[in-house]
Amino acid sequence: MAGKRRVTIALIAEEAGVSVPTVSKVINGRPEVAPETRQRVERLLHKHGYQRRTGQGDGPVGLLDLVFSEIESPWAMELVRGAESAAHEAAASVVISVLHTHAGPGRDWLERIAARRTDGVIIVTSRLSVRQQGQLSARSIPFVVVDPEGEPPPGVASVGATNWHGGLAATRHLLDLGHTRIGMIGGPPDMLCSRARIDGYRAALETAGVAIDPELIKHGDFLVNSGHDYGHALLSLDEPPTAIFAGSDMQAFGVFEAARQRGLRVPEDLSVVGFDDLPLSSSAWPPLTTVRQPLQEMAALAARMVLAMGRGEGAEARRVELATDLVIRESTARPR
């Protein structure tokens, strides 16, 4: 029976009804295979847990792939710095790809990296389907997801931050200052990190006995324009908030601009808290109170995990969350 035999290319070829060279082409990302045949072979590779054998010439090549769904924010640059730092320690280089979609790596991209080889892949804020996981695994490409959009599939290693605790700490800080009317501008509602930050905000209000007003919760995209637009929306309410917790520093900067346009001063008329602690946060005016998310450390850890998995060390999938810290600066004060 197949289950009693060592999983080889020959076994996969026999079960798929194709030649051994065809299976080899699929594994190595070669283009000259019909789509239906490729899918059938990939399903069997994943089903049998095939791992490409390593031999002479199959050692590390000194390349790590860092894959973003989007790269429009200084947030992404912090992750690049972290990954490059860890890669440099391992005498490797980083190749950056931008997918322009949150659906995870597509087949064309997978075939390109399989053809040129890579020591591993770091995937940032993307959904990774079981099928995509199988396609990477079948090609023996180790991978880690950083700040995953949703709950990572079983068997997928990931690195994130304690977003819930960060949301809790930010909101408690504002409550301790005396604010009870606190606006919240999160990220996309289907992103795990955004939901966790909003849940932390809700938990802080509930434990303080402050009613949650749905009117005060908005969902942006973590970028400046959504902070600006939703900042205006919140400040236009009949009973506007005296403080706003923005789910990213970039959104907080947008809130700064919305307040300025309405003739409001930060923090005298409006307290603002961000999330990330980007380098810009300490030099903004006023310097931004924010939740520090250790972005460089997250990417560096993901890079080290991928490299270790490529060496056959620590290959077990695990979810790692690095601690967040509240950094109090000058954008928050007691309400007037």
Side-chain angles (χ1 to χ4, degrees):
M1 290 184 58
K4 304 279 188 187
R5 297 158 63 184
R6 183 168 63 87
V7 181
T8 63
I9 290 179
L11 172 62
I12 299 296
E14 178 186 337
E15 192 165 336
V18 299
S19 67
V20 168
T22 297
V23 176
S24 181
K25 287 175 184 177
V26 172
I27 292 170
N28 290 294
R30 300 279 295 279
E32 58 270 21
V33 179
E36 299 81 5
T37 302
R38 184 181 303 279
Q39 290 174 18
R40 185 163 73 253
V41 171
E42 284 175 343
R43 281 197 300 270
L44 289 169
L45 290 168
H46 182 52
K47 171 185 171 184
H48 290 293
Y50 173 81
Q51 295 290 312
R52 183 167 53 191
R53 294 180 65 191
T54 57
Q56 269 192 317
D58 279 346
V61 294
L63 282 181
L64 278 180
D65 276 83
L66 180 58
V67 187
F68 290 92
S69 51
E70 304 289 347
I71 195 168
E72 299 172 358
S73 167
W75 173 89
M77 292 302 100
E78 291 300 291
L79 292 170
V80 171
R81 290 187 184 99
E84 286 191 327
S85 172
H88 179 72
E89 292 172 2
S93 300
V94 175
V95 178
I96 298 172
S97 302
V98 184
L99 302 176
H100 303 292
T101 174
H102 289 257
R107 181 183 300 280
D108 290 346
W109 180 86
L110 285 165
E111 289 175 1
R112 285 198 303 274
I113 66 162
R116 66 168 167 74
R117 298 181 58 214
T118 183
D119 292 331
V121 177
I122 303 164
I123 303 168
V124 182
T125 61
S126 289
R127 295 182 179 87
L128 194 66
S129 69
V130 172
R131 180 177 176 183
Q132 290 163 338
Q133 175 190 347
Q135 289 168 340
L136 286 164
S137 298
R139 292 163 171 82
S140 297
I141 299 172
F143 60 95
V144 174
V145 181
V146 173
D147 217 3
E149 283 199 6
E151 190 67 29
V156 172
S158 64
V159 178
T162 53
N163 291 289
W164 185 88
H165 288 284
L168 183 79
T171 311
R172 278 186 173 167
H173 169 63
L174 294 170
L175 289 164
D176 289 344
L177 289 171
H179 296 276
T180 55
R181 188 84 177 149
I182 302 171
M184 172 77 216
I185 305 175
D190 58 345
M191 286 189 69
L192 191 64
C193 63
S194 176
R195 294 202 308 268
R197 291 169 201 177
I198 293 173
D199 286 346
Y201 158 87
R202 290 175 178 273
L205 294 178
E206 288 173 349
T207 55
V210 176
I212 296 169
D213 184 349
E215 243 191 347
L216 292 177
I217 302 175
K218 306 296 181 184
H219 296 281
D221 60 7
F222 289 142
L223 300 178
V224 172
N225 285 344
S226 68
H228 172 269
D229 295 345
Y230 286 119
H232 271 300
L234 289 168
L235 296 171
S236 297
L237 295 172
D238 292 338
E239 190 182 348
T242 61
I244 294 177
F245 169 32
S248 73
D249 288 352
M250 300 305 291
Q251 286 188 151
F253 299 148
V255 173
F256 275 13
E257 180 60 13
R260 186 194 66 78
Q261 291 171 351
R262 304 179 78 87
L264 299 175
R265 296 168 300 164
V266 176
E268 292 86 352
D269 303 311
L270 178 72
S271 286
V272 180
V273 179
F275 200 109
D276 285 330
D277 195 25
L278 299 175
L280 292 168
S281 302
S282 59
S283 57
W285 189 254
L288 179 65
T289 295
T290 186
V291 176
R292 180 179 182 272
Q293 180 175 207
L295 296 170
Q296 290 193 32
E297 293 94 326
M298 287 161 59
L301 175 60
R304 293 186 190 105
M305 288 169 65
V306 162
L307 291 168
M309 290 162 71
R311 296 190 299 265
E313 306 165 7
E316 72 281 358
R318 54 198 179 107
R319 167 74 174 165
V320 180
E321 288 192 342
L322 301 186
T324 53
D325 297 292
L326 180 68
V327 180
I328 300 174
R329 297 194 180 104
E330 297 172 36
S331 66
T332 51
R334 297 189 66 81
R336 296 178 65 177

